[in-house]
């Protein structure tokens, strides 16, 4: 990874005007995964065409705390922090204050630049700044476990595994206090 490129990534608060760019990144991620033979993680339908997909992104940008990573002023990644997991997921409450990464996506055209890592580092900083010690995330635990390994490389430790229908998931935690 080129440190100069990593330093050029700027993370800013997001908002409703970022929803189209986030949807484009999600659609690109689905196409990229499908191109690699992964149709289980997010399915095969572009996110923007999934029932409720665009509305979910709108809610993320209005009801949660979104952040956008930019490179040269262009959105190249997004993260949404919430105060807990999605109520639609079978994930138990933490039993203490937490911040929860509800969405993390990067533009696949800029893969390998450390965008996801930069956003997760920002999540840890924001969690610490809020006086909260626990940062959690959940992810797809299928395939070869690459996504779980990505979070582990970024300071998270596996906690609870779960199933959402036939979708295997993994909750990971990171202490930031």
């Amino acid at each position: 990874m080129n440190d100069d490129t990593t330093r050029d990534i700027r993370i800013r608060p997001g908002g409703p005007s970022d929803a189209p760019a986030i949807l484009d990144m999600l659609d690109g991620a689905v196409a990229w995964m499908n191109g690699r033979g992964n149709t289980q993680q997010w399915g095969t339908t572009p996110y923007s065409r999934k029932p409720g997909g665009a509305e979910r992104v709108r809610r993320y940008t209005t009801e949660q705390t979104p952040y956008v990573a930019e490179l040269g002023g262009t959105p190249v990644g997004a993260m949404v922090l919430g105060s807990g997991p999605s109520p639609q997921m079978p994930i138990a409450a933490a039993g203490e204050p937490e911040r929860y990464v509800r969405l993390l996506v990067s533009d696949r055209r800029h893969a390998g630049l450390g965008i996801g890592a930069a956003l997760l580092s920002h999540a840890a900083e924001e969690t610490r700044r809020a006086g909260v010690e626990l940062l959690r995330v959940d992810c797809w635990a299928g395939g070869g476990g690459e996504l779980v390994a990505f979070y582990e490389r970024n300071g998270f430790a596996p906690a609870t595994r779960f199933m959402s229908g036939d979708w295997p998931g993994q909750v990971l935690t990171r202490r930031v206090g």
Side-chain angles (χ1 to χ4, degrees):
M1 177 168 45
N2 181 332
D3 287 337
D4 292 335
T5 303
T6 303
R7 281 195 300 270
D8 291 340
I9 296 171
R10 177 179 162 257
I11 299 175
R12 63 167 173 80
S17 65
D18 294 304
I22 294 170
L23 273 173
D24 285 346
M25 286 183 246
L26 288 166
D27 285 350
V30 170
W32 177 79
M33 285 184 239
N34 289 181
R36 298 179 69 213
N38 177 349
T39 58
Q40 297 82 33
Q41 185 175 345
W42 284 357
T44 57
T45 304
Y47 203 88
S48 61
R49 289 198 234 139
K50 287 183 182 188
E55 175 60 22
R56 179 176 293 123
V57 170
R58 186 201 64 74
R59 282 195 319 272
Y60 277 159
T61 62
T62 57
E63 298 172 8
Q64 304 291 323
T65 308
Y67 295 93
V68 174
E70 293 182 333
L71 198 54
T74 301
V76 294
M79 174 188 62
V80 174
L81 276 181
S83 59
S86 167
Q88 284 75 43
M89 297 301 275
I91 299 169
E96 67 180 276
E98 69 176 316
R99 290 297 178 269
Y100 205 98
V101 177
R102 296 283 292 268
L103 173 72
L104 179 69
V105 65
S106 63
D107 186 324
R108 299 311 309 163
R109 294 172 294 193
H110 299 279
L113 299 181
I115 296 163
L119 284 163
L120 289 174
S121 178
H122 190 77
E125 289 172 28
E126 290 297 321
T127 301
R128 193 176 298 110
R129 189 174 296 130
V132 174
E133 294 184 5
L134 179 62
L135 177 62
R136 291 198 306 166
V137 64
D138 65 77
C139 69
W140 186 60
E146 298 94 353
L147 193 52
V148 172
F150 164 78
Y151 285 108
E152 288 178 311
R153 286 191 306 274
N154 283 280
F156 288 82
T160 311
R161 289 190 68 114
F162 65 93
M163 292 294 290
S164 180
D166 60 358
W167 192 89
Q170 174 74 58
V171 176
L172 297 104
T173 63
R174 180 174 173 186
R175 289 280 169 192
V176 299

